[in-house]
Amino acid sequence: MLKAKVTVTLKDSIVDPQGSAAERVLTSMKYPVESIRIGKYMEVILSENDKVKAEEIMHEICQKLLANPVMEDYSFELEG
Amino acid sequence: MLKAKVTVTLKDSIVDPQGSAAERVLTSMKYPVESIRIGKYMEVILSENDKVKAEEIMHEICQKLLANPVMEDYSFELEG
Amino acid sequence: MEPKVWREMGLNDEEYARIEELMGREPNFLEVGIFSVMWSEHCSYKTSKPILKKFPTEGPQVLQGPGENAGIVDIGDNLAVVFKMESHNHPSATEPYQGAATGVGGMLRDVFTMGARPVAVLNALRLGPLEEENNKFLFNGVVSGISGYGNSIGIPTVGGDVYFNSCYNGIPLVNAMAVGLLEHCHIAKGVATGVGNPVMVVGARTGRDGIHGATFASIELSEESEAKRSAVQAGDPFMEKLLMEACLELIHAGAVVGIQDMGAAGLTSSSSEMASRGNSGIEMDLSLVPRRESGMTPYELMLSESQERMLIVPKAGREKEVEEVFARWGLEATVVGKVTDDGILRLLEDGQVVAEIPAKALTDQAPVYHRLSREPGYYQELKNIELNDLELKANVEDVLLGLLANPTIAGKEWIYRQYDHQAGTNTMVVPGGDAGVLRVRGTNKGIAMTTDCNSRYVYLDPYIGGALAVVEAAQNVACVGARPLAVTDCLNFGNPENPEIFWQFEKACAGVAEACRVLETPVIGGNVSLYNETPARTVYPTPLIGMVGLLEDLKHVLSNQFHSEGEQIYLLGESEGELAGSEYLALFENLEAGALPELNLQEIKKRLDFLLELNCAGLLLAAHDVTEGGLAVALAEMTEKYGVTINFDTKNKLKTLFGERLGRIIISTSKDDALRIESQAKTAGISLHRLGESGGDRLRISVNQVMCLDIPLNKYRSVFEQTISKIMETDVGF
Amino acid sequence: MKIGIIRFPGSGEGDCLEAWRVVGEEPVLIWHQETSVEGFDLIVLPGGFSYGDYLRAGALACFSPIMSAVLRFAQRGGLVWGIGNGFQILTEGGLLPGAFLCNAQLRFLCSPQYLRVERNDLAFTNQYRTGQVIQIPINHGEGNYSISDDGYRQLEENNQIVLRYVTPEGEMSANGNPNGSRANIAGIVNREGNVFGMMPHPERVMEEIIGGVDGQGMFLSILKHRERRTQHGA
Ligand SMILES: Nc1ncnc2c1ncn2[C@@H]1O[C@H](COP(=O)(O)OP(=O)(O)O)[C@@H](O)[C@H]1O
Ligand SMILES: [Mg+2]
């Protein structure tokens, strides 16, 4: 069993309305916030013990389902 | 300027409708997936250079806004 | 300049030569870029212009015809309806959620830019069959995108239509229509006039999104466009809502000379079109444009398609007021230039001139192409396929259930329950009716709206099919009790450089024009989307029609359901349909062919007038038009609560039960009024057939007094209601 | 009656305003940047999409200046009514317990919904019968009410559950639950009974011509409550 911690972020050129809205609220409250970008974080438990295979699988499911390659980038780390 | 990388996750006791759906889709596609939990990942740029202060600020805005303590946990890392 | 440059931007060599001629010199890179988007099909209509000229565009009700951001129609009481339909096909093929969402956003801006408050959205979707995963993915994404954008901005989505056909595999059509209301005195226009008036950019900041989106929308989808993927833009409905409130506030305060949304080709099209309409020039310093990303070049700033932005020309001296209104809504408003008198679009960067183009050269002097037209071989071939000998393929019950389980016919609740269709608390007929109906507050009136087009008909016979799209819209509007007022269109076709496609385009538009003329519904605006094809296929010609109608008295709103026992059921129009182009033929004979029934627009017009007359006299209880699947399906659709007992006297059971022929309407009336209706029809020379009556909880149909269908409501209603949901809720979910 | 409707950027205050007009009241719209709600008899947090529902529905609105005033108003016993997004703001702001997740089916849902009135001794529900089944539409993407086991026990013990999603027959089953809410919860009240949140939209069913009148009871209840209070000289 392996655990993958995945972060999915919006590509830089894509607007992030959520982040901007949170940013505006925090700056209006006088917090020293320059910018916020909001993405996704996922924890995937795999019933696969081979790290190399797990890595392949994770790339596949990130591209297919967990991230939208048109607008998002992803990265992940595998943990034993 | 400091960058905080924040992850917000649903507390274990809370069902995660999105995660379960993703899990169902992937298992139906025969991926060796045991479980998926979906949370948020945020990058906050602070106009604050003092790490200690930044840490305090981040706790405050996470508790107040970025996470909902009723159902979510958060953690963050600060980067120069 | 290297030919490679302009060719890559989508200009051909003659076009480039023309640019040099108009400019009187060699244009620079930025200038060529600006020409390339303004002269793209999407902005210039260079192919479609000669054809569109043939649409009737005038009528006593028309306050604003084509040429502005949206058309306007008078509804009395000093009020007017503004509406427009537009495609977002190509962006939706690449990113269905954002593609559809920004399509809705763009339509709404076109409407509030006219000074109107948007009151409703509709969406017309065309997709490949749901057996294929990719089509499910697209369908799911598009519906979520419309829902995501429309719902959160608080404008109800009250109607639309959807068809599934393999001609749309990989080429989904996503057309959105927005409808707004305004008082006559608040009409705003996209003009820049008044030398010295400031030019302001308001709303969202400009980023690098969707650069070359406009050209992108006009080229065939291919491997190449895969690589241009970043050209997709994302929307922010929250920002749009604020922008809408701020713009309406400003227009109503009388501070605005001209206003236009930044749609395709953003700053380029808005500035050159406003200058051109005002016979003025515009000078802008691009370094003043607020931006989201650093290091943007003038080229990127001019071509960016960042959403939720508008260009405003306020009255000189009222800049502060504009800024204040926008600031109150948390938005930016920035003066970037001024109106000039030289007719030139002049762009500066930090005070240096970087482009100088006559505005009219961009808007009015684009090339116009008279494309070759040739009748395709398939046309006569399919027309001549003999269908008259066909016999019913299965028993009537199985055919009916098969048709009801066809996603094109099945109930669309899975779609519209994801749309807020009641925001504003004005929706009297929610989706599922024949047309959406909203009351108009402060009056006793309502407005009805619908989108329609059966593209299989158009494919088989573009002229008749084009006309039928208008007929279907008109009959849907009439079936809720409203008088058809006017039309907006969205013409979705393949590559017009192919003479056979151009033939479809030309013929279909001629059919639309003729139907609009006879039905007295002028075309007040629209949109053209060409090049809807992949190397593998071309979409069926799909001239979508959006229509708005007026309900003079709210109490005459009509439902498409039987609501009581003993309603007397009649058919207005011919009792026999044809198999040509029918769903039956496609489903049970695997054939899309045949000669469509001859078009009789005058007769249909007479029938619709008769229907409205009966309704105004308070004689009708329900009305529903007969479309895909024919009479049996139409009856099944009307029987949510009450069953019916029907008899047809006919020689041809198949054509009577499942044949299709537009212009036919099922109506119901009380026992007391039945005779009156019969005699009025006789006097008016309208063909009317008594079919039977409502009651019980079964659908019972006999032919020549022999029972051929007797089926409990819940058996077929569950098929009708759950088909799409069942397909979509299995493993799409995420 | 002096009714204030808070207007956040993105909220749909118009529907609520029109609903009050149907029962003859003329509420005041209060811009979210204001800092006082003194003198009002009722504060309504309307439905809609405050701040675009970004981050979490209702989360950003909690930080509008007006919300501190609403909190004080509620603490002093003032009537506060949150509908849809308004309910989400109340939970995010800690005025009511629990939190909202996205609907179990992950889709936005706009549809008529049957509800059972569990309590009619409140300012908001006195015109209904206990156990009465009414039809009021829902319209949300994040209406899946979630609360810890402990929290739920307390809601039960203190009789704070006011509305539940049910089948047309009034049964509280999974079938009647449109969004996965815990124990079919559609509306709850605070212990004191003056802060009420509900996900369905009664303001959308105030007139027969737009789909029904089952929502009127809420509005009339509040007016009745006010009338009683005035009669008793409060
Ligand atoms: N994409 C859609 N969005 C909203 N409503 C839709 C959509 N598609 C269909 N509907 C609703 O379902 C009704 C029936 O659809 P359809 O079978 O296409 O009807 P018709 O043949 O009368 O045009 C439409 O009138 C509309 O109210
Ligand atoms: Mg119809």
Side-chain angles (χ1 to χ4, degrees):
Chain A
M1 218 128 84
L2 286 166
K3 183 190 215 171
K5 296 180 161 184
V6 186
T7 57
V8 176
T9 50
L10 280 175
K11 285 189 203 290
D12 284 344
S13 64
I14 304 272
V15 264
D16 174 14
Q18 298 212 57
S20 322
E23 186 184 308
R24 276 199 299 277
V25 167
L26 287 172
T27 37
S28 78
M29 291 164 79
K30 306 280 180 273
Y31 284 105
V33 167
E34 288 282 303
S35 87
I36 303 190
R37 304 273 296 170
I38 302 186
K40 279 182 228 145
Y41 171 76
M42 305 173 209
E43 292 184 351
V44 183
I45 311 279
L46 295 168
S47 54
E48 170 64 68
N49 294 316
D50 182 324
K51 277 219 170 187
V52 179
K53 276 199 198 147
E55 196 148 318
E56 245 172 59
I57 292 170
M58 282 309 299
H59 276 297
E60 225 180 287
I61 63 183
C62 282
Q63 278 158 23
K64 274 200 188 157
L65 185 75
L66 301 184
N68 174 354
V70 181
M71 302 176 35
E72 295 170 329
D73 297 321
Y74 69 87
S75 70
F76 61 84
E77 274 168 37
L78 279 173
E79 272 178 16
Chain B
M1 218 127 85
L2 286 167
K3 183 190 214 170
K5 296 180 164 185
V6 186
T7 56
V8 175
T9 50
L10 277 177
K11 285 191 201 294
D12 287 341
S13 60
I14 306 243
V15 272
D16 170 13
Q18 275 188 310
S20 327
E23 197 179 299
R24 273 197 307 275
V25 175
L26 288 173
T27 36
S28 79
M29 291 162 83
K30 305 274 178 280
Y31 284 105
V33 166
E34 289 282 305
S35 87
I36 303 191
R37 304 275 296 169
I38 300 187
K40 287 182 198 133
Y41 170 75
M42 308 177 202
E43 291 185 350
V44 182
I45 311 279
L46 295 169
S47 54
E48 170 63 67
N49 295 318
D50 183 323
K51 277 220 171 185
V52 179
K53 274 198 198 149
E55 196 149 319
E56 245 170 59
I57 291 170
M58 281 310 299
H59 276 297
E60 218 178 296
I61 62 183
C62 283
Q63 278 158 21
K64 269 199 187 165
L65 182 71
L66 300 183
N68 177 347
V70 176
M71 57 175 183
E72 293 170 329
D73 296 320
Y74 69 87
S75 69
F76 62 85
E77 274 169 38
L78 280 173
E79 271 179 18
Chain C
M1 184 168 295
E2 291 283 313
K4 193 165 149 268
V5 177
W6 66 74
R7 285 180 198 158
E8 252 172 32
M9 289 182 184
L11 291 164
N12 64 34
D13 295 354
E14 296 84 70
E15 287 171 340
Y16 178 77
R18 189 180 165 98
I19 292 169
E20 272 198 338
E21 189 190 309
L22 285 168
M23 296 281 287
R25 62 175 164 85
E26 188 179 319
N28 62 31
F29 181 80
L30 171 59
E31 288 166 339
V32 176
I34 289 174
F35 270 104
S36 82
V37 288
M38 289 306 294
W39 285 12
S40 70
E41 187 62 45
H42 193 86
C43 292
S44 74
Y45 294 90
K46 56 190 172 191
T47 302
S48 49
K49 235 181 213 165
I51 306 294
L52 300 183
K53 272 210 193 96
K54 296 178 182 152
F55 287 150
T57 59
E58 281 167 16
Q61 71 274 45
V62 179
L63 297 179
Q64 172 68 57
E68 269 289 340
N69 291 306
I72 310 181
V73 177
D74 188 18
I75 56 165
D77 294 325
N78 221 10
L79 292 170
V81 202
V82 179
F83 59 97
K84 166 92 180 281
M85 177 153 54
E86 206 163 279
S87 70
H88 242 218
N89 305 340
H90 296 221
S92 304
T94 340
E95 208 327 87
Y97 183 99
Q98 293 296 345
T102 52
V104 171
M107 268 345 302
L108 291 171
R109 287 195 296 283
D110 270 341
V111 163
F112 69 73
T113 201
M114 302 300 295
R117 178 164 285 278
V119 294
V121 174
L122 297 93
N123 65 112
L125 312 177
R126 300 292 181 272
L127 294 137
L130 292 179
E131 283 86 48
E132 282 185 42
E133 279 310 310
N134 188 47
N135 295 329
K136 271 162 83 170
F137 164 78
L138 290 170
F139 185 34
N140 189 53
V142 160
V143 170
S144 311
I146 291 164
S147 148
Y149 207 100
N151 296 357
S152 51
I153 197 168
I155 294 167
T157 299
V158 304
D161 67 339
V162 57
Y163 284 78
F164 301 92
N165 189 301
S166 51
C167 74
Y168 301 114
N169 260 332
I171 327 167
L173 302 185
V174 176
N175 293 183
M177 170 170 163
V179 181
L181 279 174
L182 55 54
E183 287 177 46
H184 289 188
C185 61
H186 288 148
I187 295 179
K189 296 200 172 169
V191 292
T193 51
V195 175
N197 278 337
V199 174
M200 301 181 82
V201 170
V202 305
R205 295 181 159 215
T206 302
R208 286 194 178 85
D209 19 2
I211 289 176
H212 263 211
T215 14
F216 179 64
S218 312
I219 52 169
E220 290 172 46
L221 287 179
S222 61
E223 322 279 280
E224 206 187 322
S225 60
E226 296 281 298
K228 287 193 184 177
R229 271 185 165 182
S230 61
V232 167
Q233 37 331 67
D236 180 352
F238 174 55
M239 172 83 83
E240 176 112 331
K241 169 138 178 144
L242 304 179
L243 186 64
M244 172 175 88
E245 297 298 345
C247 288
L248 289 176
E249 190 175 326
L250 211 62
I251 292 169
H252 293 181
V256 171
V257 174
I259 176 168
Q260 176 152 338
D261 87 294
M262 294 197 209
L267 207 43
T268 294
S269 63
S270 52
S271 59
S272 50
E273 285 172 14
M274 285 181 79
S276 169
R277 284 197 205 102
N279 295 314
S280 318
I282 280 185
E283 182 178 297
M284 296 190 290
D285 191 333
L286 298 175
S287 43
L288 301 175
V289 176
R291 61 201 73 190
R292 212 175 65 226
E293 297 177 70
S294 55
M296 288 184 72
T297 63
Y299 179 86
E300 289 172 324
L301 286 162
M302 283 306 285
L303 271 57
S304 160
E305 293 194 351
S306 293
Q307 301 289 296
E308 291 93 23
R309 300 177 301 158
M310 313 278 278
L311 197 65
I312 295 187
V313 175
K315 292 179 179 151
R318 294 182 81 164
E319 299 87 334
K320 265 254 125 36
E321 188 181 337
V322 178
E323 281 165 25
E324 278 164 17
V325 168
F326 277 81
R328 188 142 31 81
W329 290 100
L331 298 170
E332 287 179 303
T334 313
V335 175
V336 298
K338 58 175 191 273
V339 178
T340 61
D341 63 358
D342 58 7
I344 304 273
L345 176 66
R346 182 174 299 106
L347 305 174
L348 293 81
E349 192 189 26
D350 297 319
Q352 295 291 311
V353 173
V354 290
E356 268 185 313
I357 311 175
K360 295 261 185 214
L362 293 168
T363 55
D364 297 2
Q365 285 160 329
V368 174
Y369 294 117
H370 297 270
R371 300 281 186 199
L372 283 181
S373 168
R374 178 170 10 96
E375 184 179 301
Y378 81 79
Y379 176 60
Q380 292 297 340
E381 201 179 299
L382 294 182
K383 202 172 176 165
N384 291 328
I385 290 183
E386 185 50 55
L387 305 172
N388 279 322
D389 308 332
L390 292 177
E391 288 186 21
L392 205 52
K393 253 288 190 325
N395 71 49
V396 172
E397 178 170 326
D398 290 342
V399 172
L400 178 68
L401 292 176
L403 286 168
L404 293 177
N406 174 0
T408 293
I409 289 179
K412 308 300 185 297
E413 195 192 336
W414 180 84
I415 306 178
Y416 57 73
R417 74 173 178 225
Q418 297 184 56
Y419 299 156
D420 181 349
H421 42 260
Q422 290 170 313
T425 56
N426 292 317
T427 314
M428 293 175 65
V429 177
V430 300
D434 280 8
V437 178
L438 301 185
R439 67 164 157 202
V440 178
R441 278 190 197 274
T443 73
N444 196 28
K445 292 175 179 167
I447 47 175
M449 52 205 80
T450 179
T451 64
D452 292 282
C453 177
N454 180 327
S455 66
R456 189 189 288 141
Y457 296 164
V458 189
Y459 176 70
L460 292 175
D461 192 323
Y463 181 82
I464 295 183
L468 290 181
V470 182
V471 166
E472 187 175 355
Q475 67 194 24
N476 276 326
V477 163
C479 279
V480 296
R483 179 171 299 281
L485 272 183
V487 157
T488 177
D489 63 66
C490 191
L491 308 170
N492 307 273
F493 287 79
N495 179 351
E497 293 157 45
N498 173 346
E500 301 189 348
I501 300 291
F502 192 74
W503 177 84
Q504 292 177 336
F505 183 61
E506 190 182 51
K507 290 279 183 271
C509 289
V512 168
E514 182 57 18
C516 285
R517 207 168 286 123
V518 176
L519 298 176
E520 294 166 23
T521 51
V523 178
I524 62 159
N527 173 246
V528 178
S529 170
L530 302 176
Y531 302 93
N532 291 293
E533 57 183 62
T534 63
R537 63 174 55 79
T538 302
V539 297
Y540 281 175
T542 314
L544 257 149
I545 299 299
M547 189 181 283
V548 170
L550 179 63
L551 187 68
E552 288 283 358
D553 186 340
L554 292 183
K555 72 170 185 284
H556 289 143
V557 67
L558 264 178
S559 151
N560 62 1
Q561 296 297 320
F562 302 121
H563 283 289
S564 55
E565 304 261 344
E567 292 180 27
Q568 301 300 298
I569 304 169
Y570 289 87
L571 173 68
L572 272 177
E574 306 82 354
S575 57
E576 237 178 58
E578 291 296 333
L579 296 180
S582 67
E583 285 298 326
Y584 173 85
L585 194 67
L587 209 58
F588 290 91
E589 300 284 350
N590 197 20
L591 200 58
E592 300 184 276
L596 297 182
E598 218 154 290
L599 190 62
N600 194 342
L601 289 171
Q602 302 291 350
E603 184 62 33
I604 290 172
K605 165 82 169 125
K606 216 167 102 184
R607 238 177 252 163
L608 295 182
D609 285 344
F610 181 69
L611 172 78
L612 290 170
E613 210 177 287
L614 294 182
N615 188 44
C616 276
L619 298 176
L620 297 182
L621 295 172
H624 182 42
D625 61 332
V626 183
T627 56
E628 289 81 22
L631 276 165
V633 164
L635 284 162
E637 287 170 345
M638 297 179 80
T639 49
E640 191 184 334
K641 297 193 192 75
Y642 289 90
V644 289
T645 304
I646 299 290
N647 176 62
F648 295 106
D649 289 320
T650 174
K651 287 197 228 45
N652 192 322
K653 186 158 146 188
L654 174 54
K655 284 189 184 179
T656 302
L657 294 181
F658 302 110
E660 296 176 16
R661 175 197 289 269
L662 291 197
R664 304 186 297 161
I665 290 158
I666 299 175
I667 55 175
S668 76
T669 184
S670 68
K671 282 204 172 87
D672 293 345
D673 292 328
L675 285 178
R676 224 174 117 190
I677 287 187
E678 284 182 21
S679 78
Q680 284 195 17
K682 199 171 269 164
T683 324
I686 300 276
S687 99
L688 183 81
H689 305 268
R690 183 168 187 284
L691 300 185
E693 66 177 34
S694 66
D697 56 2
R698 302 177 77 84
L699 176 58
R700 300 154 65 109
I701 296 181
S702 48
V703 168
N704 304 325
Q705 308 298 340
V706 179
M707 187 74 75
C708 64
L709 180 75
D710 185 359
I711 174 177
L713 286 198
N714 51 18
K715 183 164 179 191
Y716 65 89
R717 289 299 301 189
S718 59
V719 172
F720 179 72
E721 283 157 20
Q722 289 160 23
T723 290
I724 294 187
S725 175
K726 281 203 174 124
I727 297 171
M728 294 308 290
E729 296 305 322
T730 43
D731 68 65
V732 179
F734 181 67
Chain D
M1 187 164 178
K2 196 159 176 217
I3 301 159
I5 302 177
I6 312 287
R7 192 176 193 203
F8 298 100
S11 62
E13 66 287 336
D15 293 4
C16 233
L17 179 69
E18 294 295 344
W20 278 110
R21 286 179 176 159
V22 172
V23 294
E25 294 294 325
E26 189 59 42
V28 177
L29 293 180
I30 305 171
W31 186 234
H32 72 120
Q33 295 287 7
E34 290 185 27
T35 50
S36 160
V37 291
E38 284 308 310
F40 284 94
D41 301 314
L42 168 75
I43 291 299
V44 184
L45 303 179
F49 287 72
S50 58
Y51 291 92
D53 267 6
Y54 293 148
L55 194 62
R56 293 180 309 277
L60 296 170
C62 292
F63 299 96
S64 282
I66 196 69
M67 282 309 289
S68 328
V70 173
L71 183 63
R72 286 194 302 275
F73 179 79
Q75 281 163 347
R76 277 188 277 108
L79 291 183
V80 176
W81 186 17
I83 303 170
N85 192 232
F87 186 10
Q88 294 165 330
I89 296 172
L90 290 174
T91 57
E92 279 284 344
L95 277 84
L96 288 174
F100 287 93
L101 296 169
C102 63
N103 294 350
Q105 309 77 355
L106 307 184
R107 295 185 191 287
F108 191 96
L109 263 182
C110 175
S111 68
Q113 185 61 50
Y114 290 98
L115 305 173
R116 194 172 68 202
V117 181
E118 307 287 65
R119 267 182 85 168
N120 73 345
D121 58 340
L122 292 165
F124 308 93
T125 54
N126 59 56
Q127 294 299 297
Y128 298 106
R129 278 173 286 109
T130 301
Q132 187 176 345
V133 175
I134 55 179
Q135 200 184 32
I136 293 183
I138 54 167
N139 185 66
H140 55 239
E142 293 171 52
N144 183 348
Y145 182 75
S146 163
I147 189 164
S148 65
D149 294 345
D150 233 24
Y152 179 68
R153 217 169 302 123
Q154 288 182 25
L155 283 183
E156 285 273 27
E157 273 166 22
N158 300 314
N159 196 18
Q160 285 174 260
I161 301 167
V162 183
L163 297 170
R164 280 194 153 106
Y165 300 113
V166 291
T167 63
E169 297 73 36
E171 277 161 42
M172 187 193 126
S173 62
N175 254 347
N177 188 342
N179 54 24
S181 287
R182 174 140 197 185
N184 290 36
I185 289 175
I188 58 170
V189 71
N190 65 350
R191 281 187 200 194
E192 296 72 22
N194 65 314
V195 177
F196 175 44
M198 61 186 290
M199 281 316 287
H201 289 273
E203 76 277 18
R204 293 188 168 192
V205 271
M206 297 293 285
E207 295 167 85
E208 215 51 82
I209 66 161
I210 53 161
V213 291
D214 279 9
Q216 282 193 6
M218 304 257 163
F219 293 78
L220 297 174
S221 292
I222 292 167
L223 293 178
K224 190 74 192 175
H225 173 81
R226 166 79 188 154
E227 193 185 307
R228 284 183 193 148
R229 296 269 309 241
T230 345
Q231 275 165 6
H232 296 135

